[in-house]
Amino acid sequence: MSDPESTPANDSSDAPPANPAAAENTSSAAPPNATPSNATPARTNMIILFLLSVGLYLQTIGYEFVYDDMFLIGNNASMFAVEDSVLNSFDLFTQEYWEGINPDKPELLRVQGQALYRPLTLFMWSLIYSVTGAESTWGYHLLSILSNAAVVALLYSVLTLLFRNSRLAFVAAMLFALHPLHSEAVAYVAGLHDVLATGAVLLGLHYFLRRRRSAGELATGDYVGILATLFVGLLIKESALLLIPVIALTDFMLHGGERALRKAQRVTLYGGMLVAFAVHLLIRYSVIGYLAPRPGAISS
C-alpha cells in the first residue's frame, strides 16, 4: 500500500513548471558558446602573451644607445630643438628622416638622400626626449618593449580571427614572442619603426577579419580603420605598405567562403587603400622633394 501523504512529493518531479516561459528562458540564458565565456580566456591569453613579451626584454631597459640610436636621438639637431619647446616636435613632420643628425660632424657623415620619411617614429622619440633628454635611455627602451608586447598580443587576436582556433593562435604567438630574431628590433632603439610597422599591418588585418555585420560586407568602422592604419603606418616606416598585399592574400584565401567580400566591397576597399597610399606619396614628395634614393646615398 502507498502512503497517501508521500504521493504529492513523489509526483512533484513530474509536474510542469508554474511558468513554462520562465523555464525556457532559464535554460537558454547561458548557451555553451556564449561570447562572454569565450572572451574571458582570450583576454587571459593576450595578457599572458603581453606579460611574457615584456619579461623577455625587460633587461634591455638599462641598455645604452648603439649605432643609429646615437645619431637619430643622441646627436640630432632636430631633437635638440625639442629642449626649447615640445611643440618643435611637430617640425619633424616637415623633414627627412636623417635630417639634423651629426650637426657637429663633417658633411660626409650627415646622411642624406635616402628618400626616407618616417616622422611619426621621430615624433615619439622626441616626446620622450623632451622629458628625459638623451642621457637617460630607459624611456626609449620602455617604448620599444611595450610596443613589441602589444604586437604579440595583436598577433594572437589576428590568428584567432583567421583560424578560429585559440590554442593554435596562442602557440603561434608565443613562438613569435620567443623567437630570437626579434631581439634586434626590440633591444635596438632604432628598430622601433620595424616593431610599429608590423603592428600597423596586423592591426589593419585585424580590422579586415573582424567584420561580422553581414556576410560579404565590411563595416564602415573597419573600412575606415584599415585606411587609417595604412596611412599612419606609412608615417612610421615604408614597409607598412605590406598591409595591401597581406589583405589581398587573406581575401584570396577566404574567397568563396562565408567571410568572402562582395565584389563591390572589394573594389571600394582596394581603391581606398590605393588612394591612401597616393595621398601619402604626395605628402612625402611635398616634404622631401623626391621619392627615389639619390645616387650615392647610404641605404638603410
Side-chain angles (χ1 to χ4, degrees):
M1 296 180 62
S2 60
D3 186 357
E5 295 182 358
S6 64
T7 301
N10 293 335
D11 293 343
S12 62
S13 60
D14 298 328
N19 188 346
E24 182 180 354
N25 292 339
T26 302
S27 63
S28 61
N33 295 323
T35 300
S37 63
N38 292 335
T40 300
R43 285 194 293 266
T44 301
N45 288 341
M46 292 180 70
I47 293 173
I48 292 173
L49 290 167
F50 184 91
L51 295 178
L52 172 66
S53 301
V54 170
L56 285 171
Y57 292 100
L58 193 59
Q59 62 178 338
T60 67
I61 204 166
Y63 288 5
E64 299 297 325
F65 288 146
V66 295
Y67 303 118
D68 292 350
D69 303 345
M70 296 184 289
F71 309 137
L72 290 168
I73 302 174
N75 193 19
N76 189 338
S78 300
M79 293 293 172
F80 300 159
V82 178
E83 295 178 344
D84 299 328
S85 173
V86 70
L87 295 178
N88 292 332
S89 297
F90 292 96
D91 292 340
L92 296 168
F93 288 89
T94 65
Q95 61 188 48
E96 193 177 353
Y97 185 61
W98 292 101
E99 186 174 334
I101 71 164
N102 292 333
D104 55 342
K105 303 293 183 181
E107 184 68 24
L108 182 64
L109 297 179
R110 301 176 190 174
V111 181
Q112 294 289 334
Q114 294 186 9
L116 298 180
Y117 181 63
R118 304 169 181 174
L120 195 52
T121 306
L122 293 170
F123 180 78
M124 293 180 183
W125 287 331
S126 69
L127 295 181
I128 298 175
Y129 189 96
S130 67
V131 177
T132 67
E135 293 76 17
S136 179
T137 62
W138 68 268
Y140 307 96
H141 285 295
L142 181 61
L143 175 61
S144 295
I145 293 170
L146 295 179
S147 299
N148 175 69
V151 167
V152 172
L154 183 57
L155 175 62
Y156 167 79
S157 180
V158 168
L159 293 177
T160 301
L161 290 173
L162 182 60
F163 296 107
R164 297 178 174 178
N165 187 325
S166 59
R167 292 183 180 179
L168 174 64
F170 183 80
V171 172
M174 179 174 290
L175 290 175
F176 180 87
L178 295 173
H179 202 292
L181 182 64
H182 306 137
S183 59
E184 180 179 354
V186 184
Y188 177 39
V189 172
L192 176 65
H193 47 53
D194 292 313
V195 176
L196 294 178
T198 301
V201 173
L202 289 174
L203 182 59
L205 185 57
H206 183 274
Y207 281 124
F208 177 75
L209 290 171
R210 76 173 188 172
R211 60 179 184 273
R212 289 291 183 272
R213 187 174 63 178
S214 61
E217 292 193 15
L218 188 66
T220 302
D222 292 334
Y223 174 75
V224 173
I226 291 172
L227 300 189
T229 301
L230 175 62
F231 185 80
V232 173
L234 289 170
L235 296 178
I236 294 171
K237 190 176 182 180
E238 297 76 8
S239 58
L241 185 62
L242 286 172
L243 176 60
I244 297 178
V246 165
I247 286 183
L249 289 173
T250 305
D251 188 25
F252 177 78
M253 184 178 70
L254 300 176
H255 183 68
E258 63 177 4
R259 293 187 288 173
L261 278 179
R262 295 175 181 173
K263 184 177 180 180
Q265 285 269 308
R266 189 173 287 117
V267 171
T268 302
L269 174 61
Y270 295 122
M273 289 193 291
L274 291 177
V275 169
F277 177 52
V279 171
H280 171 79
L281 288 180
L282 288 174
I283 295 174
R284 174 183 288 252
Y285 183 78
S286 66
V287 171
I288 65 178
Y290 62 104
L291 297 177
R294 294 171 178 170
I298 301 175
S299 60
S300 174

